[in-house]
Amino acid sequence: MAHDGRMRILEAAKALAESHDSVQGVTISLESVAQKAGLTKPGLMYHFPSKEALMLGLVDHAAEEWAQRLRTHTGHASEELTSFERHRAYVTVATTAEVSRADYWIFSDALYHPKLSRAWSEHLGPWFDTTGLDDRAVSLLTAARFCADGAWMSEATGVFPSDDLAAVCRHALSLIDAAEQMSDGAAEEASTDTETGVTE
């Protein structure tokens, strides 16, 4: 029951952000969210005792939603996938997901508050992990991720959106393919070097 109450409040906060004509016009307060959720301010404060607690909850909710989209798309948890599979999932989801100004506002607001950005790192950090890959492969994966970041943020804000997101997705995926081929080639070369060393 308490979980339902929290979700109702978080959805109300997101809807309040979405109802504004611009990201800059967003004002989130305990009073405005309580009113939007059909609660009293004390009723809201039972779940979120301060504005900071509400914002932490909202960012955590948004970040978990993104992680859930990725799990749903792949059918796997991040640790069950290769770095290339994880990045492919993010590029595909980010260029096809329904996003809104509220998504952008929640994400961008967290950039200026370390406590808020922690939720993004916790939920999405594992999906962007590139441990063990060489610098060239990492740079290609990062470029693909930046393509996807720009795509969904542009769609969410309506600022210079792409006329062909599918093409953007294809180009970003080709960067991931190149990173994987590069990584496979490096692994084969290392294996050959090892075998040569043993036979000598």
Side-chain angles (χ1 to χ4, degrees), residues 75-93:
H76 295 281
S78 60
E79 62 270 18
E80 298 171 344
L81 303 168
T82 67
S83 186
F84 308 108
E85 291 168 334
R86 293 193 298 267
H87 278 75
R88 284 190 187 97
Y90 178 69
V91 164
T92 304
V93 169

Side-chain angles (χ1 to χ4, degrees), residues 112-132:
Y112 303 101
H113 302 88
K115 282 186 180 178
L116 298 181
S117 63
R118 196 173 304 135
W120 290 105
S121 297
E122 289 175 0
H123 290 294
L124 290 183
W127 289 89
F128 301 144
D129 182 45
T130 55
T131 302

